[in-house]
Amino acid sequence: MQTKLTKLLGIRHPIIQGGMAWIADASLASAVSNAGGLGIISAMNAGADWVREEIRKCRTMTDKPFGVNIMLMSPHVEEVAKVVAEEKVAVVTTGAGNPSRFVKAWKEAGIIIIPVVASTALAKMVERAGVDAVIAEGGESGGHVGDLTTMALVPQVVDAVHIPVVAAGGIGDGRSVVAAFALGACGVQMGTRFLVAKECTVSPAYKQKVLAAKDISTMVTGRRLGHPVRAIKTSYTNQYAKLEADSNYPDEKLEEFGVGSLRKAAKDGNVDEGCFLAGQIAGMVNKEQTAAEMIEEIMAQTEKLMEGVKWEV
Amino acid sequence: MTTLEKLKEILSDCKGEDIDITPETTFDELDFDSLDKVDIVMQIEEAYDISLGENLQLSTVGELIAKIDEAVANK
């Protein structure tokens, strides 16, 4: 299915895979790209060498375009920003801030830039800096979240900017893709569903958590420290919530309590100390499939629902 | 309207209530989150038709006023 997004990126289906830290590596990114979506490698807090290696590995696994997600608060952001330009990756998505200062160098390298935004003001700011599209991510998503929901955020961002808008947060099947189109988006970004893709190298325990989750299984913690994240409820998140509510518990210790918890979930499958980030649609994710099977299923449902619909997307 | 008055209007709008500011007020005291700060910068830039640059650090109201006045003078 062709939309403004597929034309911009030169891909078959308007689906971008979320840049999930500790999870989105060359294996998942290449699988999504081979299936006609846009796979993304997460640069998370990694250094330049790891990112370069992953990009090169991904190139051996797919000849389709793929991207790198750059977390702007990473201590290695400057060097990683250079690596993606040197490697001339097709697409960069960014999270946790305003990437304006990198736009010139990335455009010179021919990179398509798509920041994740959680408000209209940030969308306008990055549009002015010269980015190609934005991903408007609502708080239904897993990981770092803003307050606005996808339903409220996407149409307001669509009205605020003139560049293509991709919807994210709460999207996991064809119905939600069509809903995103109705809100004015021309594509979607999905993370949670791809967590259980066969090519996803996340720990088996993480996949089990997602497969077992129901609609009310996720919660948001970390508001007190100014970086709220959505994760599947576990003894870890419950304990975090308790400490967070205890005003006598110092911020520094709370910060310490969170360190390494995502790695423990994603890599070690540690169900006691891990933080299993996932979005609210985890309850809809009930089976492991290949990335290609997921995308085909989603697009078949999307196209069926779009029959006779004359929106321009 | 002075820059301080305009800024008071923008910051109050973002806070959802009237707030008192002086040049000495710090942004730490005002306790805006990152999305609020982006919104404040956008509102200022649109109101004055200026650009405050990409790496703006918000410390005190007085410093921000100086930056706005400088950008307006250089238009």
Side-chain angles (χ1 to χ4, degrees):
Chain A
M1 173 175 188
Q2 290 291 296
T3 73
K4 275 182 262 175
L5 183 72
T6 60
K7 288 174 199 157
L8 172 69
L9 301 177
I11 56 176
R12 271 179 59 216
H13 304 299
I15 298 177
I16 299 178
Q17 167 234 316
M20 300 168 283
W22 290 105
I23 295 164
D25 57 9
S27 173
L28 181 59
S30 60
V32 171
S33 286
N34 282 331
L38 185 81
I40 298 282
I41 295 166
S42 166
M44 49 173 182
N45 281 328
D49 292 344
W50 184 87
V51 176
R52 196 187 301 276
E53 206 174 293
E54 234 25 56
I55 292 169
R56 291 185 177 172
K57 192 164 144 197
C58 198
R59 286 210 167 110
T60 67
M61 299 167 85
T62 183
D63 56 1
K64 303 279 192 306
F66 62 87
V68 173
N69 175 263
I70 297 189
M71 212 270 284
L72 295 164
M73 281 163 72
S74 161
H76 304 289
V77 65
E78 302 293 332
E79 48 179 300
V80 168
K82 275 198 195 106
V83 168
V84 293
E86 283 163 12
E87 294 291 325
K88 296 192 181 342
V89 297
V91 181
V92 165
T93 62
T94 62
N98 180 354
S100 296
R101 69 183 188 280
F102 300 118
V103 167
K104 187 168 173 281
W106 289 344
K107 291 314 291 180
E108 278 169 10
I111 296 172
I112 295 169
I113 309 167
I114 315 182
V116 176
V117 299
S119 75
T120 56
L122 186 55
K124 286 199 273 187
M125 203 171 260
V126 296
E127 177 185 42
R128 205 176 53 186
V131 307
D132 300 276
V134 289
I135 298 167
E137 184 176 81
E140 296 93 322
S141 68
H144 287 269
V145 290
D147 276 337
L148 287 171
T149 60
T150 305
M151 179 81 96
L153 177 66
V154 172
Q156 295 188 70
V157 172
V158 167
D159 289 344
V161 297
H162 305 283
I163 50 179
V165 176
V166 177
I171 296 166
D173 67 3
R175 292 171 299 181
S176 37
V177 174
V178 176
F181 290 161
L183 296 174
C186 60
V188 298
Q189 175 178 278
M190 295 190 334
T192 301
R193 180 138 183 204
F194 286 126
L195 281 171
V196 300
K198 286 188 176 152
E199 300 88 345
C200 181
T201 58
V202 77
S203 66
Y206 206 129
K207 290 188 179 183
Q208 277 314 310
K209 286 276 179 209
V210 175
L211 292 168
K214 56 187 184 195
D215 55 349
I216 56 168
S217 291
T218 70
M219 68 188 284
V220 174
T221 56
R223 288 195 194 282
R224 190 173 119 190
L225 298 176
H227 41 80
V229 297
R230 180 178 298 286
I232 294 174
K233 280 181 214 166
T234 58
S235 58
Y236 167 84
T237 58
N238 293 337
Q239 176 69 11
Y240 192 107
K242 266 192 209 139
L243 296 173
E244 190 174 15
D246 177 358
S247 55
N248 292 321
Y249 199 77
D251 284 358
E252 305 75 57
K253 291 200 78 167
L254 193 59
E255 191 92 49
E256 255 171 55
F257 187 73
V259 170
S261 58
L262 174 56
R263 183 185 48 75
K264 283 178 192 163
K267 293 291 169 203
D268 310 340
N270 183 336
V271 292
D272 299 315
E273 296 168 25
C275 182
F276 297 81
L277 303 181
Q280 289 180 329
I281 58 121
M284 288 197 325
V285 178
N286 301 316
K287 55 183 185 283
E288 273 192 79
Q289 293 168 299
T290 64
E293 285 164 352
M294 288 177 181
I295 290 178
E296 274 159 32
E297 188 181 288
I298 292 164
M299 289 316 298
Q301 191 182 24
T302 300
E303 280 167 25
K304 189 154 183 286
L305 289 167
M306 289 292 283
E307 268 171 31
V309 172
K310 293 197 176 63
W311 305 322
E312 216 178 295
V313 284
Chain B
M1 187 185 274
T2 65
T3 312
L4 180 65
E5 285 164 351
K6 183 68 191 170
L7 208 49
K8 178 174 163 17
E9 199 179 280
I10 290 172
L11 298 183
S12 295
D13 172 67
C14 216
K15 207 51 151 177
E17 61 177 319
D18 278 337
I19 51 173
D20 282 322
I21 53 168
T22 69
E24 286 74 41
T25 309
T26 67
F27 277 88
D28 276 350
E29 290 165 46
L30 292 169
D31 194 29
F32 286 111
D33 68 20
S34 62
L35 289 182
D36 288 332
K37 287 177 187 165
V38 169
D39 196 57
I40 289 162
V41 172
M42 270 314 272
Q43 283 203 51
I44 294 168
E45 292 188 336
E46 284 179 358
Y48 289 96
D49 190 24
I50 54 171
S51 169
L52 291 170
E54 286 155 13
N55 294 316
L56 181 69
Q57 297 295 324
L58 296 176
S59 49
T60 66
V61 166
E63 280 178 37
L64 180 57
I65 288 172
K67 281 183 184 141
I68 295 169
D69 290 344
E70 188 191 337
V72 170
N74 291 335
K75 262 212 294 190

